[in-house]
């Protein structure tokens, strides 16, 4: 059995409390690795190292161009080790190797994007309304960042935090989920190889009480970047209150996909399958509420069912597999409870509806036809391959159904009518809207939600500015000494 250590202040170590946890392969149920867990002393050490590194000339005095070169080097290393990291993530979380490998390779572009932005973080000279003043702004690193990353898209969700933070000159304590943390603990080696000074990035993991809570409460943390569930996010916000750490939250969703009767139904079926069965449904942007115009409701269900019948569920390491296991057995339990309640409410299971009878956490791709908007599967984020289907008649009804959720992360529209696409997308309360496609990402495009799906944005140009603070500098250019001290100038 392999054992993985924490990475703090440029070196590997065990947790101070001696706590060790084990991780299971979701495809087999076998325990395959162990890892050290941090306790509050380790959190203090990682944050102290990050605070020291902020003022260490080895990091502080690097030019923005030099910081960019380090990020370019990290991008190259991630791409070079993509297969190794992808296999670790697949073994640890059950995600398809085809996805973990391609996603990790693409993550290199996120670091490359922020490497290119590092020397484009600019201030400005202000056209100030005082003739004897030269006033300019500059952007400085916000400080020590606590980046809290879940297990379901680790490399991607780390890059959207670590890339802009390092480009801005911050230092980072990266907290990996205690569920399937092995890829992140291995990724720490690439940070070291890229040449980042000790303390600039530490990678730790552990449970909430000993690791996550002390980190998000820490008085020396200046910014918290969190991805996870809304309930945990509420605790994070409370924890940040003492230090007033700037906080961004990328949370879950119950995203709607609207299919109008003029849509290309084959494309819509593929989009719904991508949004629900891609990544085995374990995606925060899963389009798990399929809202379909009544005139094509049954026809589209038939198409989805036909395509879903060809889905291969099995070993995530096999190239022919489409849907792998869920990461934890708790997800299977939650799906079963939710489906049972939906059936009691009048929902009809059109496909799947039960775990597979085999070793591992396998759930059959499932379609649930919902007779009304109050069916349980339309409300609960299950994080599994379950698609709920609900009919609508008019455009206004579709929009009302789509917005009938406390979340607001992603959305999708399938229609050939360009005017309708613009009209409907402008009324959807969601941070992302895909039209005639679904589940596409880019380092160039901001990512984030509304309402209980969180606030702040990851990726894109504006994300790097979120890791800076603006300083305004006033210079008196007059040849005369400062005048009356009791009058504001």
């Amino acid at each position: 059995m392999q054992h993985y250590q924490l990475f703090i202040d440029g070196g590997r170590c065990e947790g101070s409390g001696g706590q060790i946890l084990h991780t299971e392969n979701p495809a087999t149920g076998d325990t395959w690795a162990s890892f050290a867990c941090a306790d509050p002393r380790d959190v203090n050490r990682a944050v102290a190292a990050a605070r020291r590194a902020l003022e260490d000339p080895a990091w502080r005095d690097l030019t923005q161009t030099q910081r960019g070169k380090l990020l370019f080097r990290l991008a190259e290393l991630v791409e070079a080790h993509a297969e190794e990291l992808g296999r670790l993530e697949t073994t640890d979380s059950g995600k398809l190797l085809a996805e973990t490998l391609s996603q990790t390779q693409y993550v290199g572009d996120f670091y490359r994007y922020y490497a290119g932005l590092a020397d484009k973080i600019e201030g400005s000279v202000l056209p100030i309304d005082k003739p004897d003043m030269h006033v300019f702004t500059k952007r400085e690193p916000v400080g020590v960042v606590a980046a809290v990353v879940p297990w379901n898209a680790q490399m991607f969700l780390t890059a959207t935090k670590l890339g802009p933070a390092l480009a801005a000159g911050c230092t980072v304590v990266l907290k990996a989920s205690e569920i399937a943390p092995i890829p992140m603990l291995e990724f720490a080696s690439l940070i070291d190889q890229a040449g980042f000074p000790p303390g600039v990035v530490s990678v730790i993991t552990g449970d909430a009480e000993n690791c996550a809570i002390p980190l998000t409460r820490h008085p020396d943390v200046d910014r918290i970047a969190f991805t996870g569930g809304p309930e945990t996010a509420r605790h994070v916000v409370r924890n940040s209150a003492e230090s007033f750490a700037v906080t961004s939250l990328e949370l879950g969703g119950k995203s709607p996909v609207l299919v109008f009767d003029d849509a290309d139904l084959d494309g819509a079926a593929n989009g719904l399958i991508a949004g629900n069965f891609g990544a085995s449904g374990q995606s925060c942007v899963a389009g798990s509420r399929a809202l379909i115009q009544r005139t094509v409701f049954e026809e589209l269900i038939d198409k989805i069912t036909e395509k879903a019948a060809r889905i291969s569920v099995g070993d995530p390491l096999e190239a022919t597999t489409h849907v792998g296991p869920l990461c934890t057995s708790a997800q299977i339990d939650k799906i079963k409870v939710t489906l049972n309640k939906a059936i009691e409410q009048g929902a009809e299971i059109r496909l799947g509806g039960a775990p597979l009878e085999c070793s591992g956490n396998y759930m059959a791709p499932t379609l649930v036809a919902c007779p009304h908007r109050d069916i349980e599967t339309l409300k609960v984020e299950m994080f599994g391959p379950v698609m709920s289907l609900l009919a609508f008649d008019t455009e206004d009804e579709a929009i009302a159904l789509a917005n009938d959720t406390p979340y607001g992360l992603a959305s999708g529209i399938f229609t050939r009518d360009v005017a309708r696409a613009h009209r409907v997308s402008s009324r959807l309360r969601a941070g992302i809207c895909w039209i005639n496609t679904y589940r596409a990402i880019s380092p160039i495009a901001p990512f984030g939600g509304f309402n209980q799906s969180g606030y702040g944005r990851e990726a894109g140009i504006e994300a790097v500015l979120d890791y800076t603070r603006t300083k305004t500098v006033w210079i008196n250019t007059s040849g005369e000494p400062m005048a009356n001290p009791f009058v504001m100038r």
Side-chain angles (χ1 to χ4, degrees):
M1 184 180 299
Q2 300 178 72
H3 179 70
Y4 293 82
Q5 295 180 309
L6 307 172
F7 180 77
I8 298 176
D9 200 10
R12 295 284 183 178
C13 62
E14 297 295 324
S16 297
Q19 183 185 14
I20 292 176
L21 293 179
H22 295 81
T23 182
E24 292 183 353
N25 182 336
T28 63
D30 296 333
T31 299
W32 76 279
S34 62
F35 57 93
C37 294
D39 75 2
R41 291 167 288 183
D42 304 305
V43 171
N44 287 338
R45 195 154 60 88
V47 173
R51 177 63 60 189
R52 186 205 70 239
L54 270 178
E55 297 302 323
D56 188 335
W59 179 245
R60 182 196 65 198
D61 292 348
L62 287 181
T63 66
Q64 291 170 251
T65 301
Q66 288 170 323
R67 287 202 301 264
K69 288 180 178 179
L70 288 176
L71 280 166
F72 274 120
R73 175 62 178 148
L74 181 60
E76 293 170 353
L77 287 167
V78 168
E79 288 178 345
H81 292 268
E83 183 169 357
E84 174 190 351
L85 291 170
R87 285 188 176 277
L88 285 174
E89 187 171 357
T90 294
T91 303
D92 213 22
S93 70
K95 290 188 66 175
L96 295 187
L97 178 61
E99 173 148 339
T100 59
L101 175 56
S102 63
Q103 193 174 80
T104 303
Q105 289 171 331
Y106 190 44
V107 156
D109 283 349
F110 280 79
Y111 289 113
R112 194 171 286 110
Y113 177 78
Y114 285 107
L117 281 178
D119 57 5
K120 298 167 187 66
I121 302 171
E122 301 174 343
S124 59
V125 176
L126 305 182
I128 207 70
D129 58 349
K130 304 182 189 311
D132 57 353
M133 291 287 179
H134 175 64
V135 183
F136 63 92
T137 62
K138 57 187 296 189
R139 289 189 173 269
E140 298 182 345
V142 72
V144 175
V145 175
V148 183
V149 179
W151 56 264
N152 64 305
Q154 298 174 56
M155 297 303 297
F156 164 58
L157 293 171
T158 292
T160 58
K161 298 169 179 61
L162 196 59
L166 295 177
C170 297
T171 56
V172 182
V173 179
L174 177 62
K175 195 275 177 185
S177 172
E178 66 274 24
I179 300 171
I182 303 306
M184 298 316 306
L185 296 174
E186 184 65 28
F187 168 71
S189 299
L190 304 187
I191 294 289
D192 190 40
Q193 291 179 45
F196 288 91
V200 171
V201 181
S202 292
V203 182
I204 60 176
T205 190
D207 58 33
E209 182 178 355
N210 288 298
C211 186
I213 293 174
L215 178 60
T216 54
R217 274 185 183 167
H218 204 288
D220 277 341
V221 167
D222 301 296
R223 191 191 191 289
I224 301 170
F226 174 83
T227 300
E231 191 53 44
T232 304
R234 291 185 178 92
H235 291 291
V236 169
V237 173
R238 294 186 194 105
N239 293 343
S240 70
E242 291 301 317
S243 63
F244 297 112
V246 180
T247 305
S248 59
L249 305 173
E250 197 273 287
L251 310 180
K254 196 67 186 168
S255 299
V257 179
L258 288 64
V259 182
F260 292 91
D261 58 9
D262 67 334
D264 181 307
L265 295 189
D266 277 319
N270 287 336
L272 285 166
I273 287 171
N276 286 273
F277 303 151
S280 306
Q282 300 174 115
S283 171
C284 56
V285 297
S288 54
R289 291 188 296 140
L291 309 178
I292 305 167
Q293 198 149 26
R294 196 177 305 276
T295 49
V296 294
F297 187 76
E298 292 296 337
E299 183 181 357
L300 182 55
I301 291 179
D302 288 344
K303 283 187 177 292
I304 296 170
T305 302
E306 179 187 350
K307 291 174 181 289
R310 299 194 291 270
I311 290 175
S312 173
V313 181
D315 185 348
L317 290 171
E318 291 292 334
T320 55
T321 299
H322 301 122
V323 173
L326 302 189
C327 186
T328 69
S329 59
Q331 292 165 256
I332 298 283
D333 295 338
K334 184 175 184 178
I335 291 171
K336 289 164 63 177
V337 169
T338 307
L339 288 176
N340 287 337
K341 186 167 182 179
I343 292 168
E344 291 172 3
Q345 295 170 323
E348 179 186 357
I349 305 297
R350 295 289 189 94
L351 180 73
L356 300 186
E357 296 293 335
C358 62
S359 298
N361 304 324
Y362 290 95
M363 180 72 197
T366 298
L367 298 178
V368 184
C370 301
H372 55 80
R373 68 201 300 169
D374 294 322
I375 297 295
E376 191 75 356
T377 57
L378 289 167
K379 300 178 179 180
V380 176
E381 185 182 25
M382 287 169 281
F383 236 56
V386 180
M387 185 192 311
S388 298
L389 309 113
L390 181 64
F392 68 85
D393 293 301
T394 67
E395 183 178 300
D396 284 342
E397 182 188 6
I399 293 167
L401 290 170
N403 290 335
D404 184 23
T405 175
Y407 299 104
L409 182 54
S411 60
I413 300 170
F414 283 85
T415 179
R416 288 189 175 98
D417 186 333
V418 176
R420 170 184 278 157
H422 282 282
R423 188 169 62 243
V424 174
S425 64
S426 70
R427 292 180 60 190
L428 295 181
R429 294 196 295 270
I432 307 162
C433 186
W434 287 294
I435 298 174
N436 295 327
T437 188
Y438 206 80
R439 205 167 164 250
I441 59 170
S442 168
I444 303 165
F447 183 99
F450 301 163
N451 305 325
Q452 290 190 30
S453 289
Y455 48 78
R457 292 294 179 267
E458 298 191 328
I461 291 176
E462 61 190 78
V464 75
L465 301 181
D466 287 343
Y467 288 89
T468 67
R469 287 194 175 110
T470 300
K471 176 179 285 184
T472 305
V473 180
W474 293 71
I475 302 175
N476 183 355
T477 60
S478 168
E480 300 298 322
M482 185 173 171
N484 190 340
F486 299 104
V487 176
M488 181 176 285
R489 300 204 61 197

